[in-house]
Amino acid sequence: MKAVFKRLMTIAGSAATFAGMSSAALAAEAGISDWQLGFQSSITDVMDDITWFNSFTLIIITVITLFVLALLLICMTKFSAKANPVPSRTSHNTMIEVVWTIAPILILVVIAIPSFRLLYKQLEIPEYDMTVKAIGYQWYWGYEYTDEGMGDLYFDSYMVGDAQDLDKDLEARTKFAEERGVAINEVPRLLAVDYGLVIPVDTTVRLQVTAEDVIHAFAMPSMGIKIDAIPGRLNETWFHAREEGVYYGQCSELCGVNHAFMPIAVRVVSKDQFTTWAAAAQDDLDTANQQLLASIAEAKKLAAKGNLDEIAVAAK
């Protein structure tokens, strides 16, 4: 009886865990969640290094802050007027002055070495497999696939929903989700777009960024990308996404009244899915996107079935 009860509890717990995973699938996939603290989940080596460097400098800052706090507390107690009715006439200390000059220099050197290494890694574009051009407009993004064989594929990307009216926003996102055959939680408010940038996984992408009207900024936190889009100038950066999913960013330069409502959505898919999508998108982008979403949904069903089979085996 005890063994049966234990098995039932295992099955129930696994099912609950799986249900929670499916309801939060978008959040986990995109690296974002409600009331989130810290960075989005990293899917590139550059973002891995940014996350590490942030933690590294945080440790240094914390140690310095605690040290200064300790000095302040010592001064407040040991050298107060009550503890020292006759003030000391000490005007300087050569050793202390040398230490507080050299110590900050050493700290800055320790910080500078990984900082310069990370900066070089961001700026030095490695050998790339494909090129995509992102163009900022007031207030949406345009994407152009410039490689040979892509047929000069270009499309604009607008935010889905209404930024001002919550009811209209929900109605618009619900309609969009029904048209695409996806759940409403896969159309996040102020982040979902009608046509997202589609990129193959495990592919080094050169990203060229510019603007048509005012200065914008292309920012994708989970990939460690943030680069200005300047009219008349073509800036370059790169990324190599190692995980499939949908990832979100936003314009990060004040560009006008609707600055907050020009999100960026990058859908990372398998190489086979991208090849099929790219061929179809040159003739009909809407049909290509529908086929891509259907392929992704089928892959998720197969993965879910595999997880359930594993849970059933584990419960036996």
Side-chain angles (χ1 to χ4, degrees):
M1 187 68 181
K2 184 177 180 180
V4 174
F5 178 76
K6 184 177 180 180
R7 181 176 297 179
L8 290 174
M9 290 300 294
T10 302
I11 295 174
S14 301
T17 301
F18 179 76
M21 289 172 57
S22 61
S23 64
L26 174 68
E29 186 177 72
I32 57 177
S33 60
D34 292 338
W35 305 100
Q36 179 174 343
L37 295 176
F39 294 135
Q40 294 184 16
S41 299
S42 170
I43 62 165
T44 65
D45 290 341
V46 170
M47 191 58 197
D48 289 344
D49 289 352
I50 292 175
T51 302
W52 176 88
F53 186 68
N54 175 76
S55 301
F56 174 68
T57 53
L58 178 61
I59 293 173
I60 294 177
I61 292 171
T62 301
V63 171
I64 293 173
T65 302
L66 293 176
F67 177 70
V68 173
L69 177 61
L71 290 180
L72 288 173
L73 294 175
I74 291 172
C75 291
M76 292 168 60
T77 55
K78 188 175 180 180
F79 301 105
S80 64
K82 182 178 179 180
N84 295 273
V86 180
S88 170
R89 292 181 175 275
T90 303
S91 60
H92 68 278
N93 184 295
T94 302
M95 179 57 68
I96 292 177
E97 291 179 357
V98 171
V99 169
W100 77 34
T101 301
I102 294 178
I105 294 175
L106 295 177
I107 293 172
L108 291 175
V109 170
V110 170
I111 294 175
I113 293 173
S115 175
F116 291 152
R117 182 178 65 86
L118 175 58
L119 185 62
Y120 177 81
K121 189 173 185 177
Q122 290 177 300
L123 296 178
E124 185 67 18
I125 300 177
E127 184 176 351
Y128 51 88
D129 302 307
M130 64 179 296
T131 301
V132 175
K133 185 177 182 181
I135 307 168
Y137 300 92
Q138 288 181 310
W139 288 270
Y140 60 96
W141 291 94
Y143 300 112
E144 180 180 352
Y145 292 79
T146 61
D147 291 329
E148 185 178 353
M150 292 298 294
D152 295 327
L153 176 61
Y154 174 89
F155 55 85
D156 293 326
S157 178
Y158 290 86
M159 186 187 77
V160 174
D162 190 296
Q164 309 301 329
D165 191 307
L166 290 177
D167 292 333
K168 290 182 179 179
D169 177 80
L170 180 59
E171 181 181 350
R173 291 190 295 116
T174 301
K175 181 180 179 181
F176 181 82
E178 292 174 351
E179 291 175 350
R180 298 300 190 276
V182 299
I184 184 64
N185 70 325
E186 295 186 53
V187 190
R189 173 170 160 76
L190 302 182
L191 290 175
V193 299
D194 53 359
Y195 298 105
L197 181 63
V198 180
I199 295 295
V201 70
D202 289 328
T203 301
T204 301
V205 180
R206 179 180 66 165
L207 179 66
Q208 297 180 324
V209 182
T210 187
E212 280 292 324
D213 33 53
V214 299
I215 297 177
H216 301 277
F218 190 98
M220 182 59 60
S222 59
M223 298 180 182
I225 297 175
K226 185 176 181 182
I227 186 169
D228 283 343
I230 302 174
R233 179 181 298 179
L234 194 64
N235 287 334
E236 288 186 341
T237 187
W238 70 282
F239 63 91
H240 186 107
R242 59 172 178 259
E243 297 178 19
E244 296 180 29
V246 184
Y247 304 95
Y248 297 100
Q250 291 175 304
C251 175
S252 295
E253 187 70 55
L254 294 177
C255 57
V257 64
N258 287 332
H259 154 69
F261 312 123
M262 52 180 298
I264 303 164
V266 177
R267 183 179 293 276
V268 182
V269 300
S270 69
K271 292 184 178 181
D272 289 339
Q273 288 174 331
F274 177 79
T275 301
T276 303
W277 174 86
Q282 296 176 41
D283 297 324
D284 190 332
L285 183 60
D286 289 323
T287 300
N289 285 339
Q290 291 175 358
Q291 293 174 348
L292 178 61
L293 291 174
S295 175
I296 293 172
E298 183 63 26
K300 288 182 178 179
K301 287 181 180 179
L302 293 175
K305 185 178 183 301
N307 289 335
L308 288 175
D309 291 341
E310 290 179 4
I311 291 172
V313 171
K316 290 182 180 179

Short mmCIF file of all heavy atoms in Angstrom, two decimals, residues 17 68 71 88 116 136 154 185 203 243 249 251 253 258 271 273 279 290 295:
data_model
loop_
_atom_site.label_atom_id
_atom_site.label_comp_id
_atom_site.label_asym_id
_atom_site.label_seq_id
_atom_site.Cartn_x
_atom_site.Cartn_y
_atom_site.Cartn_z
N THR A 17 4.32 19.25 -12.11
CA THR A 17 5.51 19.93 -12.60
C THR A 17 5.42 20.18 -14.09
O THR A 17 5.73 21.27 -14.59
CB THR A 17 6.76 19.09 -12.30
OG1 THR A 17 6.84 18.89 -10.89
CG2 THR A 17 8.02 19.78 -12.80
N VAL A 68 34.20 50.24 3.56
CA VAL A 68 33.98 51.66 3.88
C VAL A 68 32.98 51.80 5.04
O VAL A 68 33.15 52.64 5.92
CB VAL A 68 33.47 52.42 2.63
CG1 VAL A 68 33.07 53.84 2.99
CG2 VAL A 68 34.55 52.42 1.55
N LEU A 71 34.79 51.14 8.22
CA LEU A 71 35.61 52.30 8.59
C LEU A 71 34.75 53.41 9.20
O LEU A 71 35.15 54.06 10.18
CB LEU A 71 36.36 52.82 7.37
CG LEU A 71 37.50 51.95 6.81
CD1 LEU A 71 38.14 52.63 5.61
CD2 LEU A 71 38.56 51.70 7.88
N SER A 88 43.06 64.28 18.50
CA SER A 88 44.42 63.99 18.06
C SER A 88 44.90 65.08 17.12
O SER A 88 44.11 65.66 16.36
CB SER A 88 44.46 62.64 17.36
OG SER A 88 45.71 62.45 16.74
N PHE A 116 38.08 44.75 -20.97
CA PHE A 116 38.63 44.92 -22.33
C PHE A 116 38.46 43.64 -23.15
O PHE A 116 38.19 43.69 -24.36
CB PHE A 116 40.10 45.31 -22.27
CG PHE A 116 40.32 46.69 -21.74
CD1 PHE A 116 41.50 47.04 -21.08
CD2 PHE A 116 39.36 47.67 -21.89
CE1 PHE A 116 41.70 48.31 -20.59
CE2 PHE A 116 39.54 48.96 -21.40
CZ PHE A 116 40.73 49.28 -20.76
N GLY A 136 15.64 50.80 -38.17
CA GLY A 136 14.72 51.42 -37.23
C GLY A 136 13.92 52.53 -37.85
O GLY A 136 14.47 53.38 -38.58
N TYR A 154 12.43 41.05 -47.38
CA TYR A 154 12.32 42.20 -46.47
C TYR A 154 10.89 42.27 -45.93
O TYR A 154 9.93 42.00 -46.65
CB TYR A 154 12.63 43.51 -47.21
CG TYR A 154 12.40 44.74 -46.35
CD1 TYR A 154 13.41 45.25 -45.55
CD2 TYR A 154 11.16 45.39 -46.34
CE1 TYR A 154 13.19 46.36 -44.74
CE2 TYR A 154 10.93 46.49 -45.54
CZ TYR A 154 11.95 46.97 -44.74
OH TYR A 154 11.73 48.07 -43.94
N ASN A 185 -0.72 33.39 -24.13
CA ASN A 185 0.51 33.67 -23.39
C ASN A 185 1.73 33.69 -24.29
O ASN A 185 2.82 34.08 -23.87
CB ASN A 185 0.71 32.64 -22.26
CG ASN A 185 1.05 31.26 -22.80
OD1 ASN A 185 0.56 30.87 -23.86
ND2 ASN A 185 1.88 30.52 -22.08
N THR A 203 24.03 29.31 -35.45
CA THR A 203 24.49 29.99 -36.66
C THR A 203 25.04 31.36 -36.27
O THR A 203 24.39 32.11 -35.53
CB THR A 203 23.33 30.18 -37.66
OG1 THR A 203 22.80 28.90 -38.00
CG2 THR A 203 23.81 30.88 -38.92
N GLU A 243 20.19 28.26 -28.51
CA GLU A 243 18.95 27.62 -28.07
C GLU A 243 17.78 28.13 -28.91
O GLU A 243 17.70 29.33 -29.21
CB GLU A 243 18.68 27.91 -26.59
CG GLU A 243 19.73 27.36 -25.65
CD GLU A 243 19.45 27.71 -24.20
OE1 GLU A 243 18.29 28.06 -23.90
OE2 GLU A 243 20.37 27.65 -23.38
N GLY A 249 13.26 41.91 -27.22
CA GLY A 249 14.03 43.10 -26.86
C GLY A 249 13.20 44.33 -27.20
O GLY A 249 12.04 44.21 -27.63
N CYS A 251 13.55 48.81 -28.46
CA CYS A 251 14.38 49.96 -28.79
C CYS A 251 14.86 50.59 -27.48
O CYS A 251 14.07 50.80 -26.56
CB CYS A 251 13.59 50.97 -29.61
SG CYS A 251 14.50 52.51 -29.94
N GLU A 253 16.74 53.57 -27.24
CA GLU A 253 17.15 54.96 -27.42
C GLU A 253 15.89 55.80 -27.55
O GLU A 253 15.00 55.48 -28.34
CB GLU A 253 18.00 55.09 -28.68
CG GLU A 253 18.61 56.47 -28.87
CD GLU A 253 19.70 56.77 -27.87
OE1 GLU A 253 20.65 55.99 -27.78
OE2 GLU A 253 19.59 57.80 -27.17
N ASN A 258 6.33 57.22 -29.34
CA ASN A 258 6.05 55.79 -29.27
C ASN A 258 7.31 54.96 -29.11
O ASN A 258 7.36 53.79 -29.52
CB ASN A 258 5.28 55.33 -30.51
CG ASN A 258 3.84 55.79 -30.49
OD1 ASN A 258 3.26 55.99 -29.43
ND2 ASN A 258 3.27 55.98 -31.66
N LYS A 271 17.74 24.50 -38.08
CA LYS A 271 18.23 24.86 -39.41
C LYS A 271 17.31 24.35 -40.51
O LYS A 271 17.12 25.02 -41.53
CB LYS A 271 19.65 24.31 -39.58
CG LYS A 271 20.67 25.00 -38.67
CD LYS A 271 22.08 24.52 -38.91
CE LYS A 271 23.05 25.28 -38.02
NZ LYS A 271 24.45 24.86 -38.22
N GLN A 273 14.04 23.92 -40.22
CA GLN A 273 12.86 24.78 -40.21
C GLN A 273 13.15 26.12 -40.87
O GLN A 273 12.31 26.66 -41.61
CB GLN A 273 12.39 25.00 -38.78
CG GLN A 273 11.74 23.78 -38.13
CD GLN A 273 11.43 24.01 -36.67
OE1 GLN A 273 12.09 24.77 -35.98
NE2 GLN A 273 10.42 23.31 -36.17
N ALA A 279 12.62 29.54 -47.91
CA ALA A 279 12.18 29.27 -49.28
C ALA A 279 10.74 29.71 -49.49
O ALA A 279 10.39 30.31 -50.52
CB ALA A 279 12.34 27.78 -49.59
N GLN A 290 2.91 30.65 -41.00
CA GLN A 290 1.94 29.66 -40.54
C GLN A 290 2.54 28.25 -40.57
O GLN A 290 2.36 27.47 -39.64
CB GLN A 290 0.68 29.72 -41.41
CG GLN A 290 -0.14 30.99 -41.21
CD GLN A 290 -1.32 31.08 -42.18
OE1 GLN A 290 -1.50 30.20 -43.03
NE2 GLN A 290 -2.11 32.13 -42.05
N SER A 295 5.01 23.72 -37.64
CA SER A 295 6.15 22.83 -37.45
C SER A 295 6.67 22.90 -36.02
O SER A 295 7.00 21.87 -35.42
CB SER A 295 7.27 23.21 -38.42
OG SER A 295 8.44 22.45 -38.18
#
